[in-house]
Amino acid sequence: MPGITLTLSGTKNEMLTKKCVLLATQITCDVLKKNSFETMVIMRYVDKDDWFIDGKSLNEWGKNSFRLEVTVVDETCSKDQKAAYQKAIYNAMEQAIGNLHPQSNVHVIDCKAASYGYTGITQEYRYQHKEEFY
């Protein structure tokens, strides 16, 4: 059950939001082997005057940026998958947004199965009681 928070620099843009949500969902499902039905995305926008890198705003840099955080259950994604995910997300955001500052980033958050879940049930419980869910 990946939970994604995607933050983009700039002002809210419905068309860009839809495009980036679809890209983030598709890449997460393809590269990290997750189920799209269980993948959620929260979109945020931060004004370029409020996003700083090395003490300078993105407006001063003349650049765009993004930060994607995805929470997955620990030990469900390999190092190779995470490396491929980093590259795929960065490339997709570069194409969708353009003019990215190189400090735009992706953070894969590995969470213990007993600490993460949905519908009030942890992923650990789901794993231990597979017959109830599958």
Side-chain angles (χ1 to χ4, degrees), residues 113 122-131 133-134:
T122 68
Q123 294 296 76
E124 180 67 23
Y125 185 91
R126 286 178 199 284
Y127 179 78
Q128 303 244 354
H129 299 90
K130 291 178 202 164
E131 67 282 350
F133 300 97
Y134 305 104

Side-chain angles (χ1 to χ4, degrees), residues 9-10 46-52 57-59 62-64 99:
S9 63
V46 173
D47 192 280
K48 289 182 180 188
D49 286 325
D50 295 327
W51 192 313
F52 294 85
S57 74
L58 286 174
N59 266 337
K63 295 285 187 179
N64 298 313
N99 193 31

Side-chain angles (χ1 to χ4, degrees), residues 78 103 111:
S78 70
Q103 295 305 317
C111 208

Side-chain angles (χ1 to χ4, degrees), residues 30-44:
D30 290 349
V31 178
L32 299 182
K33 307 298 182 203
K34 302 301 180 185
N35 180 343
S36 65
F37 180 74
E38 297 172 341
T39 302
M40 56 152 262
V41 179
I42 297 171
M43 280 294 303
R44 295 187 175 135

Side-chain angles (χ1 to χ4, degrees), residues 63-66 90-91 93-95 97-104:
K63 295 285 187 179
N64 298 313
S65 193
F66 79 93
Y90 191 91
N91 289 341
M93 292 300 121
E94 176 65 51
Q95 287 185 358
I97 303 164
N99 193 31
L100 287 180
H101 190 285
Q103 295 305 317
S104 302

